[in-house]
Every structure is written in structure tokens, then in C-alpha cells.
Amino acid sequence: MPDDTHALRHPLTKVDAQYWPAAEVLLSLPTEWRIRRSGSFAWLDPTPSFEWYREFYNSAYRSDPTHGELLRNPRLHRRKQAYFQKRIRRIVAALGHEPAGMLDVGAGDGVFLAAAQAAGYPVMGIELCAEAAEAANAETGVPVLTGDILLDRPPIAAPIDVVVMHHVFEHLLWPLEYLQAVRALLQPGGLFVFEIPQQFTNPIDMVYRALGRRRPFDAYSLHHPYFYSVDSIRQLMKLAGYEIVSLKTWLPGQVFHVDSRLVGTALQGALWVADAVAKKGHVIEVMARPE
């Protein structure tokens, strides 16, 4: 059973925070799990320990049928490759010069590593799941270390101009400490680039709640100890002493699985408008550098 010893170490949590039943229902959480929120920030209560998550990512998470299906989907793999190729071009433009080294934290299946390598940039990865690290290394030939940059402190070759995390930051139990670890790795003027979901407050989840839809309870219901928004991520980066160079939000190309194409298109259009007006897109991308 997880414990709650880590939750109040997050700088955005408050002891008098309210429970959020609507979010709990959306994830179909069992009764022993709750979601609490303070303003625009929310977290899983009780918050699992690091040891719980290390075991989780090395067993239940990777063996989850939904996760496995995504890893084996060739169409999704090609889309991710194109997606990361565009991101790398944007990273280089924001950095202002070609990176002497890039580090992918939470390298997963190694798609970003392959894209960076194909673009001609020195890159390496680190991954908490040993099986995933081995698979990414075998697939790309890029060195992928196993472990955690904060607690395990594996040997990372300098120089590093860019640190990236793709849907990893929301998994980290001690964000300020990890931001400090990233700062220590970066060369002067370097960039930290990360992508996270904006859960519950985005229009997708709001529509699902209004329609009474639930997501099935599975590994994805527990893999995020924290739930960020644009406002809360801005607060956190300011506390950590980072300057945000770029913050973007957007929606996936297809977010509703409804029988009527007309209804799906109308809903998608409404969500795009909401994102453009209020930055409520399902995905947040941040490029930041230490001040």
C-alpha cells in the first residue's frame, strides 16, 4: 500500500486542500485513492513512494495492455518520429546554436533518441525501467542509462545543452530537486524542454465529465502523482528560478471516440477555440532556461 509521506514536499500542495470527487470519478479510482487540489494544482492522495513507483514502472506499467499496444503501434511510432523531428528543429532554434549534447530523461522506447541521432546531434538517455532502457538502446544504438537522475545519479557525459522530458515531469515526486538536478547538468544558456498533460481542467476531460463518461481503471489511473495546469507550472518554474522561453498548449488531432463524425468534428472545433482563448489544451510544452 502506498504512503503519503511525499505529498506535502511538493511546493504547491496545501494541507487544507480540498478533495476533487469529479476527477476521482473520471479516473475510476478505488475508494482508497483520492485526488486533492489546491487552486490550479492537484495530486494523488495518498502519494506513492519512489520505491513504489520504481517497482510500478518495472512491472505493472510496462506490462499494461494499453501501454503495450501503444508501443507496438507502427502508425503511432511514425507519428511520434515526425513529431520529435519538428520539436528538435524548434529546440535548436530556441537554443540558438547546434547542441553539443542532448539528454532524454525517461527515454521510454527511444523514439526521441532516434530522431536526435538522425538529425546529427550527440544524444543519450536515462530510463527508470531497465527493460525499456535495454530495448531503447538495442533499437537505436544510443547509450541509455538505467536509473533516476536525482536518486541514482548515473554518470552522464558532459556537455549537455538540452535536457528533455516527454510526459515524465508529472511523474516526479520532488520537482524542485529534479529542477535543480537538471540545472546542474545544463551548460550555461542551456534549455530544459518538457511536455506534460493538463488533466481535468482541459475541455476534453470537462466534456467527458459532463457526459458522465469514465476512463477505465488501469495503470494509467495511478501513474501520475501530480496534475499540473498552465498556471501551476508557471508558479513552479518561477519558484525554481527558471525563465520560461516558450509555453505552448494544444490538443491531439482526435480526442473523441463518438459514432457521429459530425458530432466529433463539432466537439473538436469547440476545444480548439477553448485552447486558443484560454490555453486549456490537453498538452503543455515548456522550454525554459535557468535564470
Side-chain angles (χ1 to χ4, degrees):
M1 179 64 190
D3 62 76
D4 61 355
T5 57
H6 301 288
L8 298 182
R9 291 190 60 180
H10 195 293
L12 300 183
T13 58
K14 305 292 183 183
V15 293
D16 59 347
Q18 302 297 310
Y19 286 111
W20 200 355
E24 297 158 14
V25 169
L26 189 66
L27 292 182
S28 301
L29 290 178
T31 55
E32 63 267 28
W33 298 90
R34 305 292 301 274
I35 292 176
R36 297 176 70 184
R37 66 172 167 175
S38 176
S40 58
F41 174 69
W43 65 96
L44 192 64
D45 181 25
T47 306
S49 67
F50 178 83
E51 292 72 23
W52 189 91
Y53 270 122
R54 190 195 291 270
E55 173 62 25
F56 177 74
Y57 292 125
N58 277 278
S59 56
Y61 182 65
R62 190 162 178 82
S63 63
D64 178 78
T66 302
H67 186 68
E69 184 178 340
L70 291 174
L71 288 175
R72 292 187 297 270
N73 188 318
R75 180 171 173 269
L76 180 61
H77 189 82
R78 290 192 297 271
R79 288 177 60 188
K80 287 171 67 177
Q81 286 179 318
Y83 178 74
F84 285 141
Q85 288 166 359
K86 292 179 181 178
R87 171 165 289 167
I88 289 169
R89 291 194 290 270
R90 293 180 53 246
I91 288 173
V92 174
L95 186 64
H97 59 83
E98 293 195 346
M102 305 178 78
L103 174 67
D104 185 5
V105 178
D109 54 357
V111 180
F112 180 85
L113 299 175
Q117 184 182 55
Y121 301 123
V123 64
M124 65 183 302
I126 181 169
E127 168 60 47
L128 192 61
C129 174
E131 183 181 347
E134 292 172 4
N137 175 260
E139 179 70 22
T140 66
V142 173
V144 182
L145 303 173
T146 300
D148 177 82
I149 61 168
L150 181 64
L151 299 188
D152 300 324
R153 297 187 180 277
I156 296 172
I160 299 294
D161 289 319
V162 178
V163 174
V164 299
M165 294 184 187
H166 303 291
H167 289 267
V168 170
F169 191 76
E170 69 276 15
H171 298 244
L172 304 180
L173 289 170
W174 309 288
L176 282 181
E177 288 87 343
Y178 280 100
L179 287 169
Q180 292 166 1
V182 169
R183 179 194 296 270
L185 290 169
L186 285 172
Q187 294 289 300
L191 277 180
F192 177 36
V193 180
F194 63 97
E195 178 179 297
I196 58 174
Q198 183 166 216
Q199 290 180 258
F200 309 131
T201 59
N202 72 74
I204 303 172
D205 286 349
M206 292 171 68
V207 169
Y208 266 87
R209 291 205 306 267
L211 296 175
R213 295 281 190 95
R214 290 182 176 221
R215 304 185 191 281
F217 176 74
D218 57 18
Y220 284 88
S221 299
L222 300 176
H223 71 320
H224 294 164
Y226 302 122
F227 309 98
Y228 293 99
S229 66
V230 167
D231 290 341
S232 61
I233 208 64
R234 286 189 188 277
Q235 293 176 46
L236 181 62
M237 298 306 285
K238 183 177 180 179
L239 282 172
Y242 278 72
E243 174 196 5
I244 294 179
V245 176
S246 169
L247 190 152
K248 297 176 57 179
T249 65
W250 70 89
L251 291 150
Q254 175 60 44
V255 296
F256 290 107
H257 303 283
V258 294
D259 294 333
S260 169
R261 178 174 295 181
L262 180 62
V263 172
T265 301
L267 289 170
Q268 185 75 59
L271 296 185
W272 281 334
V273 171
D275 181 34
V277 171
K279 281 193 174 293
K280 289 295 185 181
H282 183 60
V283 181
I284 305 172
E285 179 204 75
V286 178
M287 295 188 184
R289 57 171 51 99
E291 292 181 328

